[in-house]
Amino acid sequence: MEVERLSIYRASRTIKRKENSLYNALRSIYEDSIFVGEIAQLWPELPLLANLRCGLWYSPKFHSNCYFKSTDGHTNNWSFSTSRLNFHVALLAGQRGGCIIVDSTRKGKRFPDSMSKTIPIWTCVLNRAILNYANKMRGAVTLMEALEQESNSSNPHTENTRQVSPDWDCSLHLPLWVPKTEQAAIEDRLEGWTKQLEVSGADISALALSLKKPLRPLWISQKTVIWLNEVPEYDSWDFTPIILVSASASNGIFQQRTTSEFSWNYISGAGDDEESWARGLSPNLFWNHAYDLINSGPDLCNQKVADVVEKDRVYCAQRGQSSPQISVKLSKLSGSTGHVSGEESPVNFEIPGTESNEECHSDDNTISWLGSTNLAVGATRLAATISNIDTILNCDCESISVCREDPEAYLHLPIVNSKLDRFSLLRNLPSVLNFAKLNLRKGKKLLVCCSNGDDISICVSLAILTSLFSDGGIFDDGKSFSETCITKLDMRRRLVFICKFAINARPSRGNLRQVFNFLNGGSVGSLS
C-alpha cells in the first residue's frame, strides 16, 4: 500500500512539473502579451508601465516600471508604503494625462491585490495629501493675492494652488468585488496613512503642480467587454486615469491549448516568481529571442533558453561586465517537457533576477551617492570602473577583481536574497558595520554593491545609515544609535532618504525585515 501511495505521489508531481514547464510559461506569457498590446493601442498616448516583477514579462517595450506590492493590499494587512511611494508614476500620469499599469496573478483571481487594493489606496492617499497641501497654500497666500491684485504681478504659488479645485475627489475607489466591510476598514486608516506621507519628507508640492485632475484607478482584464467604437478619450474624464491591466486569464485551472504544431498548457500569471521557472532568462532577454523560443516547441525550449542565457553571459563577460554563474539542476523529466532525462546534470545559467538583454544595457549605469554621507550604492559590474571611491563592500555572490593598495579597502560578503536564505543578510550585518565603521572613521568613500544595485545593497546601506549616522546625516560612529530605539517609522524615513538618490531601489520586504530585526537586537518584527 505504501509503495502504491508513493507511486501516486510521484505521478502527481511529475504531471505538475510537466504542466509548469518552461515552454508552457513562456508560451502563456507570449499569448497574454497580445492582449496587453491590444489594450495599449486603445490609448496609444498613455505610457505603458510594468508593475515589478511579474508585469515586466508581458510586453517587449515599457515606458517605465513601478513597484506596488500585493501584500500591501492583503485583507487585514492593508498598508501604504512610504518606502515605495512610486511618485514617478503620479508625476508621469500628470504630465501625460494618465498611464497604463500591467500586472498579473496566479491565484485564479481576475486581478492581483496590488491592483484591487494597493493602487486604489495609493491614489486615494496621494489625492488627500494634494488637497491638504493646496488648502494650506491657499491660507498662506491670501495676503499675497491681495498684493498681487494691486501690483498686477503673478504669484507662482497662487497659480499652482488654483490647479486643485475645492471639489477635488478624495474618495476611495475600489472595484465592485471588494466587500463593503473591507472598504470601510480601509477608509478608517486613510487619514493615518495620509499623515505618514506628509511627515515622510515627500515632495507633495511637485504632485500638486503636475496633476490637474485627481488620480483614479480603472480595471481591465481579459473578461472586460470593450466596445471599440465607444472607447472614451482619456482626456474626456474628470480624473487622471490609472488604467490597471491584468494580463492573464482568471481561470484557476490549467487549460490545454493546441496549435497546428504543438500542444501546451496555459498558465495564468506565468510571469510570477521567475526564480522558480525562468532558468536565468530575463524579460528583456526573452523578448529579444521570443519568436525563436516560442517556435522551438516544448522539446527544444529548455536547451534554447540555456543557449541564449549562456551567450548573453559570455557577451557581457567579454566586455568586462559582471557575468555571474550558478549551477542549476534540470528536472528528471523526459518527453514533451524538454527536460533532460536520467541523472541531473548541472548547467551554467545567469543568476535569476538580473535583468540584462543581449547587449547588457541597463538603467543602472551609474552609482548613486547618498547625499553627503560618503556612501554610494550601485551594481557590482560598475565597482571596478568607478575611480572616485576608496573602499568597496561587495554583497554579490561573485567576487570581483579590484586594484586596491590597502587590503582592507575591499570586503566580499556573499549575501543572497531572503527567498533563498531567510537569515543571510542578518548573519552578515555585523561584518558589514565593522567594515563600514573602520573606513568611514577615516573619511573614506564607501561603495556598497550587489548584483543589481537595487535590493541587498539598499538594505545594507540602510543598516549603515541607521547604525552609524545621526538623523541629520552626519557620521557619529554610532552614538545616536546607541541612545535611541529604532522604530519602523525611523526606518521608513531613512529608506525614503535613500530612495531619493537611488531612484531604482526596490528592496524586498524579507531583506528589510532582517535589517529591522538586527537593529532591534534580533527581536521579532516586520516592516509593513
Side-chain angles (χ1 to χ4, degrees):
M1 178 63 71
E2 187 66 26
V3 175
E4 182 180 353
R5 185 181 296 112
L6 186 60
S7 298
I8 294 175
Y9 170 77
R10 286 179 175 174
S12 64
R13 293 290 297 173
T14 300
I15 293 172
K16 187 173 183 180
R17 282 196 295 266
K18 287 182 178 181
E19 291 174 339
N20 286 284
S21 70
L22 179 59
Y23 181 80
N24 286 341
L26 295 180
R27 185 63 185 258
S28 300
I29 290 170
Y30 181 79
E31 295 293 325
D32 290 334
S33 70
I34 298 174
F35 165 72
V36 172
E38 291 174 348
I39 299 301
Q41 286 302 311
L42 295 179
W43 296 281
E45 299 87 357
L46 297 184
L48 188 68
L49 280 70
N51 191 29
L52 297 173
R53 292 176 304 159
C54 181
L56 203 58
W57 288 89
Y58 288 94
S59 177
K61 187 176 182 180
F62 284 102
H63 181 278
S64 182
N65 54 51
C66 54
Y67 193 35
F68 295 97
K69 295 195 69 172
S70 289
T71 50
D72 292 336
H74 287 177
T75 304
N76 296 323
N77 191 45
W78 314 286
S79 177
F80 176 83
S81 175
T82 53
S83 63
R84 295 181 295 275
L85 288 176
N86 290 289
F87 263 28
H88 66 289
V89 178
L91 293 172
L92 183 62
Q95 296 166 3
R96 303 284 290 272
C99 68
I100 303 172
I101 299 178
V102 178
D103 203 354
S104 184
T105 180
R106 277 190 176 219
K107 297 183 178 179
K109 299 182 292 188
R110 290 181 64 183
F111 292 87
D113 285 339
S114 61
M115 290 183 165
S116 295
K117 284 166 279 188
T118 303
I119 295 179
I121 289 173
W122 173 81
T123 58
C124 183
V125 171
L126 262 58
N127 286 337
R128 285 171 172 248
I130 291 171
L131 182 60
N132 290 346
Y133 170 82
N135 289 338
K136 291 177 182 178
M137 291 298 296
R138 285 194 186 97
V141 301
T142 302
L143 179 60
M144 298 177 69
E145 286 180 344
L147 296 174
E148 178 185 322
Q149 292 177 355
E150 295 179 3
S151 61
N152 293 324
S153 62
S154 61
N155 182 354
H157 295 288
T158 304
E159 294 173 0
N160 294 346
T161 305
R162 286 173 179 169
Q163 292 177 0
V164 181
S165 60
D167 58 347
W168 186 266
D169 184 12
C170 290
S171 56
L172 177 65
H173 296 278
L174 293 174
L176 297 177
W177 55 85
V178 176
K180 295 296 182 181
T181 53
E182 187 172 0
Q183 178 171 342
I186 294 175
E187 289 175 339
D188 291 341
R189 294 165 169 79
L190 290 174
E191 188 63 29
W193 291 330
T194 304
K195 291 180 180 179
Q196 287 181 16
L197 173 60
E198 292 172 342
V199 302
S200 68
D203 189 5
I204 301 175
S205 61
L207 291 182
L209 178 63
S210 177
L211 287 167
K212 307 299 187 298
K213 304 174 185 178
L215 299 167
R216 182 169 176 175
L218 301 174
W219 296 269
I220 295 179
S221 72
Q222 292 197 23
K223 288 187 176 181
T224 303
V225 178
I226 300 177
W227 300 98
L228 295 180
N229 60 340
E230 297 180 6
V231 174
E233 295 292 335
Y234 66 92
D235 55 358
S236 66
W237 288 313
D238 58 355
F239 53 85
T240 302
I242 307 294
I243 301 175
L244 308 178
V245 178
S246 182
S248 297
S250 58
N251 295 343
I253 59 175
F254 288 100
Q255 300 177 7
Q256 183 77 26
R257 299 191 180 184
T258 304
T259 64
S260 58
E261 295 178 295
F262 311 117
S263 177
W264 55 283
N265 290 312
Y266 173 78
I267 303 174
S268 179
D272 194 18
D273 195 20
E274 61 194 44
E275 289 91 351
S276 65
W277 61 268
R279 298 182 177 274
L281 192 69
S282 68
N284 286 337
L285 204 53
F286 164 64
W287 284 108
N288 285 338
H289 303 273
Y291 298 110
D292 289 340
L293 294 176
I294 296 303
N295 293 332
S296 66
D299 293 333
L300 301 177
C301 181
N302 281 23
Q303 187 57 50
K304 281 277 190 180
V305 169
D307 293 341
V308 166
V309 172
E310 179 63 13
K311 287 179 181 178
D312 179 70
R313 187 196 65 78
V314 172
Y315 183 93
C316 293
Q318 290 174 343
R319 283 151 182 81
Q321 297 168 328
S322 178
S323 55
Q325 293 179 336
I326 59 172
S327 182
V328 178
K329 292 185 177 181
L330 300 179
S331 303
K332 296 179 180 179
L333 293 178
S334 59
S336 62
T337 60
H339 293 276
V340 178
S341 60
E343 294 298 321
E344 295 178 345
S345 56
V347 180
N348 286 327
F349 285 96
E350 184 182 48
I351 291 179
T354 56
E355 297 168 0
S356 59
N357 58 17
E358 189 174 16
E359 298 181 355
C360 271
H361 289 165
S362 173
D363 293 335
D364 304 324
N365 52 10
T366 60
I367 63 173
S368 301
W369 288 98
L370 306 183
S372 57
T373 62
N374 275 355
L375 269 178
V377 295
T380 309
R381 67 177 182 277
L382 305 172
T385 62
I386 302 299
S387 58
N388 59 336
I389 55 174
D390 303 313
T391 57
I392 298 175
L393 175 57
N394 179 15
C395 303
D396 200 347
C397 293
E398 295 291 325
S399 182
I400 57 175
S401 299
V402 292
C403 297
R404 291 287 184 270
E405 296 180 359
D406 185 0
E408 295 182 344
Y410 175 77
L411 177 64
H412 178 219
L413 295 174
I415 303 175
V416 299
N417 191 277
S418 59
K419 284 189 175 182
L420 302 176
D421 185 341
R422 291 177 57 192
F423 306 107
S424 177
L425 178 59
L426 188 63
R427 287 194 303 269
N428 285 282
L429 282 178
S431 300
V432 164
L433 295 183
N434 289 336
F435 180 77
K437 185 182 295 186
L438 175 66
N439 289 282
L440 292 173
R441 279 175 180 170
K442 303 175 182 178
K444 293 185 176 181
K445 297 179 180 180
L446 171 62
L447 169 65
V448 181
C449 57
C450 63
S451 61
N452 47 27
D454 60 18
D455 185 2
I456 292 176
S457 59
I458 299 296
C459 295
V460 168
S461 299
L462 176 62
I464 295 174
L465 280 176
T466 307
S467 301
L468 304 178
F469 287 78
S470 66
D471 289 338
I474 305 300
F475 177 76
D476 63 2
D477 209 13
K479 180 180 178 181
S480 57
F481 174 70
S482 63
E483 296 174 351
T484 185
C485 178
I486 299 299
T487 66
K488 295 178 183 179
L489 182 58
D490 295 329
M491 289 274 292
R492 292 192 188 102
R493 287 174 176 172
R494 286 173 171 81
L495 190 56
V496 168
F497 169 77
I498 293 175
C499 292
K500 284 183 179 179
F501 302 98
I503 59 175
N504 290 322
R506 52 175 192 269
S508 67
R509 181 184 294 268
N511 289 332
L512 288 173
R513 183 182 296 112
Q514 292 182 65
V515 174
F516 180 74
N517 290 343
F518 172 80
L519 296 175
N520 284 274
S523 60
V524 177
S526 63
L527 283 177
S528 57

